[in-house]
Amino acid sequence: MPKRIEELTVTDLESNRWCVYHNDEEGYDSFEFVIPDTHPGFSEHIIEIELANFIFSDGTVLKGLFNGSESFSVFHNGNWHDFWFGVSKPSESIMAEFKAFLTKNRLALPVTAIAVHSGTSRTYNGLKYIDDTRAICELVI
């Protein structure tokens, strides 16, 4: 059964591999839905939403996801925290919330995020986005 991307949990990602799902006849848009590897439409040849491990510089390891493109998001206490914001520069309030998350949980940056299946990895010293010149920028925390 297709599942909304925002409803995916770490447990889902640990239990199955997931890929985006598009089916016009059934009304499923690949920007909104994913399916597990138990679904007949699963394909490892399209965008896969993967389990990722986040290794913080203090040695703490948390789990999260990699969206198959650029975005890594860590999961902690029922909340997803994004490291990639695409063409949207993170606001001051998002930066403050992220810093509070790190401080409250004694997490030290940089963090290395590694996708379990593809091995794709990124290192973050803060939150990344693309500016008006199409350059990748990082707001260091």
Side-chain angles (χ1 to χ4, degrees), residues 49-82:
I49 309 297
E50 298 183 56
L51 178 66
N53 292 310
F54 292 77
I55 305 160
F56 289 84
S57 62
D58 62 2
T60 303
V61 177
L62 296 178
K63 295 184 184 284
L65 68 78
F66 171 57
N67 78 348
S69 176
E70 280 297 323
S71 185
F72 279 90
S73 301
V74 67
F75 190 76
H76 188 262
N77 286 342
N79 296 304
W80 290 100
H81 302 280
D82 299 325

Side-chain angles (χ1 to χ4, degrees), residues 6-41:
E6 65 268 13
E7 294 174 357
L8 270 180
T9 66
V10 168
T11 301
D12 291 332
L13 295 166
E14 289 173 326
S15 301
N16 295 89
R17 292 175 70 179
W18 295 78
C19 73
V20 297
Y21 184 61
H22 185 88
N23 186 320
D24 286 331
E25 293 173 9
E26 295 177 14
Y28 294 114
D29 185 314
S30 62
F31 289 103
E32 299 175 13
F33 292 94
V34 291
I35 54 173
D37 53 11
T38 56
H39 188 283

Side-chain angles (χ1 to χ4, degrees), residues 58-132:
D58 62 2
T60 303
V61 177
L62 296 178
K63 295 184 184 284
L65 68 78
F66 171 57
N67 78 348
S69 176
E70 280 297 323
S71 185
F72 279 90
S73 301
V74 67
F75 190 76
H76 188 262
N77 286 342
N79 296 304
W80 290 100
H81 302 280
D82 299 325
F83 282 93
W84 175 255
F85 286 81
V87 295
S88 301
K89 181 178 179 180
S91 67
E92 291 297 323
S93 64
I94 289 172
M95 290 290 294
E97 286 174 28
F98 201 87
K99 187 173 184 176
F101 157 69
L102 293 173
T103 303
K104 179 181 177 185
N105 295 290
R106 297 186 179 116
L107 300 170
L109 296 179
V111 61
T112 299
I114 305 167
V116 170
H117 297 290
S118 68
T120 302
S121 68
R122 302 281 186 277
T123 299
Y124 296 95
N125 289 295
L127 306 180
K128 292 185 179 183
Y129 69 100
I130 299 174
D131 71 8
D132 295 338

